Amino acid sequence: MTLPHRPAACRYTSAARHAARGVALLGLCFALPAAAKEGGAEALLERFDRFPHSETVDQSTQIVRDHVIGLGAMQKVRGDWRLEESERLSGELSRYTWRIVDGFTARSLLEDAAAEAEALPDSELLYTCEGRSCGRSVQWANRVFQQRVLYGTESSQRYRVYALRAEGREQRLVLYASERSSDRQYLHMELLSAQDRATVAP
């Protein structure tokens, strides 16, 4: 989804641009708690999908079986890249990948999403990593998420996994942010509503 061209009269000066970013993020932060409270993680994803400073790269919802969720860093074992720890879940998987534009950063939006996830009822942080401790970004992009646009610098990547168990449901919320440059910022989110569960050995 490409944002419409902004007419010259609406282009910002540098100072005005910074102010506009603050207002937009402030609006997002105030809107997210209400959305999350009313609709849980689903509403959180929908709100981010409507964020005016993001462009949708990919979006899908499908039924999956034995979908792998990373609970550890990417590491090379006997010549093969694999997750240090993971689990497999079956159920309905919603996936979003956005390019963050207009000077906003994927990192700041991930931090906003993480704060809202932690505020959800019965939320538990299962795994988090930042920078090089996550492993190779190219492996996360291609092997884990199958989204090559997520390949960025190792130092820029951020990853979070939350277990959500409100109202008797078992869900996983996955957040990943990366950047290639200041104007190539990407944010990826996944929400899996599980039907059954099988933990994968490291």
Side-chain angles (χ1 to χ4, degrees):
M1 177 179 67
T2 302
L3 292 178
H5 175 71
R6 184 166 54 211
C10 294
R11 294 174 187 161
Y12 304 132
T13 64
S14 178
R17 187 181 297 112
H18 284 293
R21 291 175 198 165
V23 169
L25 281 174
L26 186 62
L28 182 64
C29 290
F30 274 111
L32 280 171
K37 183 177 180 180
E38 292 177 3
E42 291 88 349
L44 188 153
L45 265 66
E46 290 172 6
R47 176 63 182 172
F48 271 86
D49 196 41
R50 294 195 299 269
F51 185 56
H53 304 284
S54 67
E55 299 174 353
T56 301
V57 175
D58 190 43
Q59 190 276 325
S60 65
T61 299
Q62 59 185 322
I63 300 300
V64 296
R65 186 160 189 82
D66 296 330
H67 178 74
V68 177
I69 295 178
L71 297 176
M74 289 296 300
Q75 59 181 4
K76 202 170 188 178
V77 179
R78 294 187 291 274
D80 186 30
W81 286 96
R82 65 182 63 178
L83 290 160
E84 183 179 20
E85 188 174 344
S86 63
E87 67 177 353
R88 291 182 181 269
L89 295 168
S90 299
E92 183 178 87
L93 175 67
S94 295
R95 310 179 79 190
Y96 292 83
T97 304
W98 302 283
R99 181 178 179 181
I100 309 304
V101 298
D102 298 334
F104 290 84
T105 67
R107 177 179 179 175
S108 63
L109 291 177
L110 181 142
E111 290 173 350
D112 288 341
E116 293 307 319
E118 290 166 9
L120 290 171
D122 298 311
S123 171
E124 177 187 359
L125 178 63
L126 296 182
Y127 178 71
T128 178
C129 66
E130 296 187 1
R132 297 182 184 279
S133 66
C134 298
R136 296 291 299 276
S137 175
V138 65
Q139 302 301 329
W140 283 102
N142 294 330
R143 286 178 177 263
V144 179
F145 299 124
Q146 295 86 49
Q147 287 289 345
R148 62 181 183 178
V149 298
L150 294 174
Y151 173 35
T153 63
E154 260 76 60
S155 60
S156 71
Q157 59 186 339
R158 303 288 186 273
Y159 180 72
R160 308 279 189 277
V161 182
Y162 293 91
L164 309 175
R165 301 186 176 96
E167 300 177 355
R169 296 190 298 173
E170 185 77 19
Q171 294 180 305
R172 296 293 182 271
L173 177 64
V174 174
L175 314 174
Y176 183 79
S178 65
E179 66 177 67
R180 298 189 194 183
S181 62
S182 60
D183 63 345
R184 302 193 74 178
Q185 306 263 337
Y186 293 91
L187 179 64
H188 180 84
M189 294 190 192
E190 297 185 355
L191 178 64
L192 195 153
S193 297
Q195 296 175 341
D196 54 64
R197 174 183 176 180
T199 301
V200 178

